[in-house]
Amino acid sequence: MRHYFALFIFGILLALSSCRTDFDTVASSGDLKFSKDTVYLDTVFKNIGSSTYQLKVYNRSKNDISIPTVQFKKGLSSKYRMTVDGMSGNNGKIFTNVTLLAKDSLYIFIETTADITDANPTDFLYTDEIQFDSGANLQEVALVTLIQDAVFLYPKQNADGTKEKIKIDGKDVDGFYLNETDPVNGNELIFTNQKPYVIYGYAGVPQNKTVTFNAGARVFFHANSGLYVDNNASLQINGTASTTKKLENEVIFEGDRLESLYDDIPGQWKSVILSNGSTNHAINHLTLKNAITGLDIKGQDDTTIQIKNTQIYNCAEYGIQAQNAKINGENIVINYTGLASLSCVYGGNYLFTHCTFNNNWSSSQFAVNLSNTLAGATPETSPLTQATFNNCIIYGSNTNEFNLNKNTNAAFVYQLNNCLLKFSSSSTNPDYQFKTDPVHYNQIILNENPKFYDASNNKFNIDNTSSAFAKGNQTYIIPLDIIGATRTSPPDLGAYQSKDFPK
């Protein structure tokens, strides 16, 4: 009997403790606390939605409160939108009687889509405030977004509702050909520094045409987008050395998500494809980042691609993937690639001088891969007539950062002169006798730390404590380094002269 009585009393106490509800609230007194007093939504292109940003609102009091209104100062006309604890309110703009429990918090998620005409014409900022309550209890959190005007390039809609397509490697992909007489954009084959460009799908360079990127051009690629240079077409990237860390004269290719969260995320867009049969390419002062493969270079019909003063970072697969191509590369830096920073397969002819091929992707394969074979090709082998590396650094976070995939059915000619190389495992393979094979290796510095300034942040400058300091051969010197500084004699290895630390 006593057990039943005890259960009865417990039930009454439990019921009494449950009588209060979340609706027993008091009015807000204007004493809310916030995780930040200003929410910066970073930079967005006109009419392109932003990422979602978070604001936390705290009730530090002992009372459950009701906030009469949570709204944008610009009301229903605001270009911002929000959810409040999962609620959408009136078009994501105005919320009424929002309950916030004692010692609790609520989440507000904020986005925006705005046109350049919505922004302040002097600084291109679009601003608003989230207002909590009104009158004497009014509290506000500021919202700030920089809106960039841009030239948008994208596949047109066909009459049947399908998207325009171009053919790449025998497959139809979403894309379009750049038009030198476009009625809206003018000559789309010339990219200037007047406005950034945003590309959707593959932008194709028509046969027998040349696309030119002038110094300071900024090109942003949407997901699954890229640049395709067709048969007998040419790519000319005419960047020049910059004097500040804004890289004002560099040509920059990257993904179209401008928020800082996306600065170093690989695989945001596809690739720059130089097709088999394209010709007369020259790349100077290009910074390319966050692609799947940076430069995808097919056979080039006996024309040599000039790649100079170029940086390629954070690619999901390759920095440069070359297939039976001809490349003359000077002052190239590649880092953080999922497979290899430089992969030259199915033969070809390559000369790299004063380059830094690093790979800090922990699960990657190599910094440099050379091969004269390709599975599935007919024939399966193709001669590697030259692969020469002079005054270079080949390094990374793996044990071995240099790989040779040789098939004896075709020529395989390679040579490393005055290079710092990471290859830690002992090998009896005759291809990796770095100290005793003068035909292929001369003055190799093996497994010594180059002491990069900050490889994890793609800063590959060195100082006079580096093992690469003054170890270059004057015979191969490129007079200016990647940022235009004069090299001394003997030169340092890699793309940077040692005095050139980041400003």
Side-chain angles (χ1 to χ4, degrees):
M1 186 69 181
R2 284 180 297 183
H3 294 297
Y4 288 115
F5 181 76
L7 287 172
F8 175 74
I9 296 299
F10 177 77
I12 291 175
L13 292 173
L14 181 63
L16 289 173
S17 68
S18 302
C19 282
R20 65 171 295 280
T21 73
D22 290 344
F23 299 101
D24 295 333
T25 61
V26 299
S28 171
S29 60
D31 195 30
L32 299 169
K33 304 298 180 185
F34 307 101
S35 58
K36 56 190 74 174
D37 57 15
T38 302
V39 179
Y40 296 96
L41 280 81
D42 287 336
T43 303
V44 298
F45 291 114
K46 66 173 186 176
N47 296 324
I48 301 297
S50 71
S51 290
T52 302
Y53 293 79
Q54 174 186 297
L55 173 70
K56 287 189 73 174
V57 184
Y58 303 96
N59 175 13
R60 305 293 194 196
S61 75
K62 298 178 181 179
N63 299 313
D64 299 345
I65 64 173
S66 177
I67 309 169
T69 58
V70 178
Q71 65 180 23
F72 295 116
K73 186 175 182 178
K74 294 179 180 177
L76 292 173
S77 66
S78 179
K79 299 300 179 180
Y80 291 102
R81 55 193 177 272
M82 61 180 164
T83 60
V84 178
D85 260 8
M87 299 180 294
S88 57
N90 185 351
N91 293 315
K93 314 287 186 182
I94 301 173
F95 301 76
T96 57
N97 300 320
V98 177
T99 299
L100 181 51
L101 301 181
K103 304 295 183 181
D104 203 353
S105 61
L106 59 81
Y107 284 90
I108 296 179
F109 295 100
I110 311 148
E111 300 174 341
T112 188
T113 304
D115 199 319
I116 191 70
T117 57
D118 300 314
N120 185 321
T122 59
D123 56 17
F124 303 107
L125 294 177
Y126 180 72
T127 61
D128 203 344
E129 289 83 39
I130 303 177
Q131 296 184 323
F132 298 83
D133 212 333
S134 59
N137 293 333
L138 176 65
Q139 294 179 268
E140 295 181 316
V141 173
L143 305 173
V144 180
T145 307
L146 177 64
I147 311 295
Q148 277 204 48
D149 196 5
V151 176
F152 291 88
L153 303 171
Y154 50 88
K156 303 298 189 295
Q157 194 92 352
N158 295 321
D160 61 0
T162 60
K163 279 186 180 179
E164 185 180 3
K165 294 184 181 295
I166 62 174
K167 197 173 290 293
I168 298 178
D169 293 335
K171 298 178 181 178
D172 288 331
V173 301
D174 288 344
F176 59 97
Y177 280 104
L178 297 167
N179 183 357
E180 58 189 336
T181 58
D182 185 82
V184 176
N185 301 321
N187 189 349
E188 294 177 337
L189 289 170
I190 298 179
F191 288 69
T192 72
N193 63 2
Q194 300 304 301
K195 289 182 181 181
Y197 296 79
V198 183
I199 293 177
Y200 290 78
Y202 267 96
V205 183
Q207 294 187 19
N208 305 310
K209 299 292 184 180
T210 298
V211 64
T212 301
F213 295 85
N214 292 334
R218 301 291 189 260
V219 185
F220 298 86
F221 294 89
H222 193 63
N224 299 315
S225 299
L227 180 68
Y228 175 72
V229 185
D230 210 335
N231 187 49
N232 285 321
S234 300
L235 170 67
Q236 298 288 315
I237 295 179
N238 300 328
T240 59
S242 301
T243 58
T244 74
K245 58 186 177 182
K246 292 182 178 180
L247 300 177
E248 67 278 1
N249 297 322
E250 195 88 354
V251 173
I252 299 180
F253 290 176
E254 60 182 310
D256 67 345
R257 299 312 301 259
L258 304 185
E259 301 89 338
S260 56
L261 172 66
Y262 291 87
D263 283 351
D264 301 317
I265 295 180
Q268 295 180 45
W269 57 286
K270 285 289 187 74
S271 181
V272 174
I273 300 175
L274 305 182
S275 71
N276 188 5
S278 62
T279 187
N280 295 324
H281 307 301
I283 299 172
N284 197 9
H285 284 286
L286 168 69
T287 293
L288 186 157
K289 55 184 181 178
N290 304 337
I292 293 177
T293 291
L295 299 177
D296 187 359
I297 304 171
K298 313 298 185 183
Q300 293 301 302
D301 289 349
D302 292 330
T303 64
T304 300
I305 303 171
Q306 303 290 333
I307 305 176
K308 301 180 180 181
N309 308 307
T310 289
Q311 306 171 70
I312 302 176
Y313 302 126
N314 305 320
C315 292
E317 294 183 357
Y318 301 98
I320 296 177
Q321 179 178 242
Q323 180 179 316
N324 193 25
K326 285 190 172 183
I327 298 176
N328 178 29
E330 300 175 359
N331 292 331
I332 298 173
V333 178
I334 307 178
N335 184 41
Y336 202 73
T337 58
L339 296 177
S341 293
L342 172 69
S343 184
C344 302
V345 302
Y346 204 51
N349 188 300
Y350 308 98
L351 173 62
F352 295 103
T353 307
H354 278 295
C355 296
T356 300
F357 299 116
N358 194 76
N359 202 347
N360 266 39
W361 193 310
S362 59
S363 60
S364 65
Q365 295 176 349
F366 313 102
V368 172
N369 174 60
L370 302 177
S371 173
N372 63 350
T373 185
L374 183 65
T378 304
E380 195 169 90
T381 60
S382 181
L384 180 67
T385 57
Q386 178 184 226
T388 301
F389 298 81
N390 298 323
N391 292 352
C392 292
I393 297 174
I394 301 172
Y395 203 75
S397 57
N398 294 320
T399 301
N400 298 326
E401 293 292 355
F402 182 65
N403 183 64
L404 303 174
N405 181 18
K406 180 192 296 188
N407 188 307
T408 57
N409 291 326
F412 197 95
V413 180
Y414 65 98
Q415 187 173 64
L416 279 67
N417 300 307
N418 298 83
C419 293
L420 187 154
L421 176 67
K422 186 174 183 181
F423 193 99
S424 296
S425 61
S426 59
S427 175
T428 58
N429 188 323
D431 295 332
Y432 299 109
Q433 301 308 305
F434 304 106
K435 299 296 186 179
T436 59
D437 177 9
V439 173
H440 298 108
Y441 304 105
N442 295 287
Q443 300 300 312
I444 302 300
I445 300 170
L446 195 60
N447 300 321
E448 294 190 23
N449 193 337
K451 297 183 180 179
F452 297 126
Y453 182 76
D454 186 359
S456 61
N457 287 305
N458 298 322
K459 297 183 184 297
F460 288 93
N461 315 74
I462 62 172
D463 65 15
N464 58 10
T465 67
S466 169
S467 298
F469 174 74
K471 295 298 194 303
N473 189 322
Q474 183 70 21
T475 303
Y476 313 120
I477 192 170
I478 304 298
L480 302 179
D481 78 352
I482 191 170
I483 63 172
T486 302
R487 283 194 168 92
T488 56
S489 181
D492 301 328
L493 304 182
Y496 287 94
Q497 184 65 20
S498 55
K499 65 180 181 180
D500 303 323
F501 265 75
K503 303 292 189 294

